[in-house]
């Protein structure tokens, strides 16, 4: 059995604030705070190691630029070598000074693919809040497979019924990605973050799991954006033969 810890949205060194812009509209802004969410990440990593999980995928949004080195130093301290995808708070230029995956030769986007007996794993870069034409063409080429596909991406591809989905946080060109996947004949499983909430949704051959953040949560079923900083966590993915299992690990402060 393969067991993977999927953690996302650590936002190290970033403190979030809501600004009311009137007419029922809120805007999320970040201010640098050196120690923000560091203890959350240590707690999550302690739990991962305690459970004996050595495979880790990080779902993007490390945090402030200054926090990148601390993030990778901490991973080394725990002897973890995560596979990294980039979110909208990450930049390829900075992350690439600490991390480079052996299966990518791209100097501008962190995208790569791997496969085993039953699955093809595709890792996408949405640090630009969208998918570039070049990455979309690469993605279509990688889908030339008879295997089931698992996608790790920071942003959701399927829409989620929640206020943040309508306030400019949605992935650019996500409908193009979705149509490509709907045309793919095999089963597709997406693991994402970005919205800081738990969600499971399906559309035809696609199933998507959104994972709670390591930093703070955004309430899902509410009329406007609400922050919950009392809970954080990560997801455990199990893969055995051609079956995928998943469970959340929620941690209360």
């Amino acid at each position: 059995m393969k067991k993977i810890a999927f953690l996302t949205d650590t936002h190290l060194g970033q403190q979030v604030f809501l600004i009311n812009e009137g007419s029922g509209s809120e805007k999320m802004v970040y201010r640098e705070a050196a120690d923000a969410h560091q203890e959350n990440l240590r707690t999550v990593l302690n739990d991962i190691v305690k459970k004996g999980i050595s495979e880790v995928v990080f779902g993007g949004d490390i945090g402030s630029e200054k926090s990148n080195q601390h993030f990778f130093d901490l991973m080394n301290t725990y002897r973890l070598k995560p596979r990294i995808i980039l979110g909208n708070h990450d930049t390829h230029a900075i992350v690439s000074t600490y991390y480079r995956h052996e299966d990518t030769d791209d100097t501008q986007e962190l995208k790569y693919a791997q496969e085993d007996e039953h699955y093809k794993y595709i890792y996408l870069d949405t640090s630009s809040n969208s998918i570039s034409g070049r990455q979309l063409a690469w993605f279509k080429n990688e889908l030339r497979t008879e295997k089931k596909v698992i996608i790790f991406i920071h942003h959701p591809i399927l829409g989620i019924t929640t206020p943040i989905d309508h306030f400019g946080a949605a992935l650019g060109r996500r409908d193009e990605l979705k149509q490509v996947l709907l045309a793919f004949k095999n089963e597709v499983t997406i693991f994402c973050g970005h919205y800081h909430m738990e969600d499971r949704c399906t559309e035809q051959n696609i199933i998507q799991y959104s994972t709670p953040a390591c930093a703070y949560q955004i309430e899902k079923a509410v009329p406007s954006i609400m922050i919950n900083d009392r809970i954080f966590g990560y997801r455990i993915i199990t893969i055995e033969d051609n079956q995928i299992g998943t469970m959340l690990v929620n941690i209360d402060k």
Side-chain angles (χ1 to χ4, degrees):
M1 177 190 292
K2 179 193 291 284
K3 191 174 287 188
I4 302 169
F6 180 68
L7 62 148
T8 184
D9 295 278
T10 48
H11 287 279
L12 299 180
Q14 292 180 321
Q15 195 69 49
V16 67
F17 295 89
L18 285 178
I19 296 178
N20 192 322
E21 296 188 315
S23 303
S25 177
E26 291 100 359
K27 180 180 180 181
M28 296 173 60
V29 297
Y30 290 89
R31 298 173 187 167
E32 289 199 15
D35 296 331
H37 313 303
Q38 289 188 16
E39 192 57 37
N40 288 18
L41 178 56
R42 291 190 190 94
T43 300
V44 166
L45 296 181
N46 279 329
D47 196 67
I48 289 170
V49 171
K50 183 179 179 180
K51 286 182 167 65
I53 303 173
S54 58
E55 279 200 62
V56 175
V57 176
F58 178 70
D61 280 3
I62 292 172
S64 68
E65 291 184 5
K66 295 177 182 177
S67 71
N68 274 245
Q69 181 173 350
H70 176 70
F71 174 86
F72 287 102
D73 285 347
L74 199 56
M75 291 296 172
N76 288 332
T77 298
Y78 282 87
R79 298 182 180 179
L80 296 172
K81 295 181 178 180
R83 295 188 291 279
I84 303 291
I85 58 176
L86 300 185
N88 53 295
H89 284 264
D90 303 311
T91 62
H92 183 275
I94 294 173
V95 174
S96 63
T97 63
Y98 304 101
Y99 176 85
R100 182 174 179 82
H101 196 276
E102 61 185 5
D103 293 318
T104 184
D105 58 2
D106 196 320
T107 59
Q108 299 179 48
E109 295 178 313
L110 183 59
K111 61 185 192 298
Y112 48 99
Q114 301 169 309
E115 54 189 295
D116 58 24
E117 182 181 0
H118 299 288
Y119 289 95
K120 184 161 192 177
Y121 306 82
I122 301 177
Y123 304 79
L124 296 176
D125 182 338
T126 58
S127 54
S128 67
N129 275 308
S130 186
I131 290 288
S132 68
R134 182 178 62 173
Q135 186 171 187
L136 184 60
W138 173 86
F139 180 60
K140 290 178 180 178
N141 186 63
E142 290 297 331
L143 288 178
R144 294 177 180 174
T145 178
E146 297 299 317
K147 298 178 179 180
K148 297 178 182 180
V149 167
I150 297 176
I151 296 172
F152 291 102
I153 183 171
H154 181 67
H155 295 68
I157 297 176
L158 301 183
I160 299 175
T161 304
T162 184
I164 196 171
D165 194 62
H166 309 292
F167 287 168
L171 177 68
R173 304 179 73 172
R174 73 178 182 186
D175 285 342
E176 292 182 62
L177 276 175
K178 184 176 78 170
Q179 292 307 315
V180 169
L181 293 175
L182 291 175
F184 181 64
K185 63 181 181 180
N186 293 340
E187 179 183 297
V188 176
T189 305
I190 300 167
F191 292 102
C192 61
H194 185 52
Y195 281 9
H196 293 233
M197 62 184 65
E198 186 275 331
D199 184 76
R200 176 188 180 276
C201 57
T202 62
E203 186 168 343
Q204 296 183 35
N205 61 318
I206 307 170
I207 181 168
Q208 174 179 277
Y209 295 96
S210 176
T211 297
C214 287
Y216 63 88
Q217 309 317 307
I218 300 174
E219 300 290 353
K220 182 169 66 173
V222 291
S224 59
I225 297 176
M226 293 178 60
I227 302 296
N228 180 350
D229 61 1
R230 301 184 306 276
I231 299 173
F232 60 99
Y234 69 102
R235 183 182 295 277
I236 297 174
I237 304 163
T238 56
I239 302 172
E240 188 168 16
D241 296 328
N242 62 347
Q243 297 296 319
I244 299 174
T246 178
M247 63 171 285
L248 293 177
V249 180
N250 290 312
I251 303 168
D252 295 323
K253 284 188 177 180

